[in-house]
Amino acid sequence: DARSKAFLNWLQTFVEDYVAKEGGLTKFEHLSTFLHSCLENSLSAAHQRSEQRLREVGEKHSADMKRMGAAMATLKEVLNSDKAHIRLKLQQEVKKNKQVVDRMASLERQID
């Protein structure tokens, strides 16, 4: 396509100009050096992006863990509150049952 041809023409011109300026090295050596530096730059940028993404994922994980810890603490409080409420209700029922048993014993004594 036209962009590829334009890039190749630019690259060839660049290499020829560079060879003319630097001299002594072959066109292939200059092209290899240039492409190597391009690859290094590209890999460095990709590495920086992946490190940034890794930091972001780590921060998100940390925030998620804090939210989950807070949710678990809230759930524990709710469950403890429910447990206390159930114990209170149980104590009330035990007290009512004792009163009923005492009343029945009293009635039985009256009947006898």
Side-chain angles (χ1 to χ4, degrees):
D1 87 359
R3 289 190 327 199
S4 295
K5 287 181 182 179
F7 175 74
L8 289 176
N9 286 337
W10 173 84
L11 184 59
Q12 182 177 1
T13 303
F14 173 81
V15 170
E16 288 171 355
D17 289 346
Y18 190 80
V19 168
K21 289 179 189 172
E22 296 298 318
L25 296 177
T26 66
K27 191 185 283 191
F28 177 75
E29 290 169 328
H30 286 288
L31 180 59
S32 295
T33 302
F34 172 72
L35 291 176
H36 182 263
S37 68
C38 288
L39 286 174
E40 278 183 335
N41 291 341
S42 178
L43 289 173
S44 175
H47 179 71
Q48 289 173 353
R49 284 191 305 272
S50 66
E51 283 183 339
Q52 176 63 29
R53 181 66 182 134
L54 189 58
R55 277 192 299 277
E56 290 170 359
V57 167
E59 290 168 359
K60 183 181 183 309
H61 175 71
S62 178
D64 288 347
M65 293 304 291
K66 286 179 184 175
R67 280 193 297 276
M68 187 173 73
M72 293 300 285
T74 301
L75 179 60
K76 185 176 178 180
E77 285 182 37
V78 168
L79 291 175
N80 285 336
S81 175
D82 284 350
K83 191 165 85 173
H85 179 71
I86 289 170
R87 279 189 184 145
L88 181 63
K89 286 290 192 182
L90 180 61
Q91 288 171 354
Q92 289 173 349
E93 289 299 318
V94 166
K95 187 176 178 180
K96 283 182 190 177
N97 286 345
K98 186 174 182 324
Q99 289 172 349
V100 168
V101 167
D102 289 348
R103 179 118 169 104
M104 290 202 41
S106 172
L107 289 173
E108 284 177 359
R109 280 193 303 270
Q110 288 177 4
I111 292 174
D112 290 338

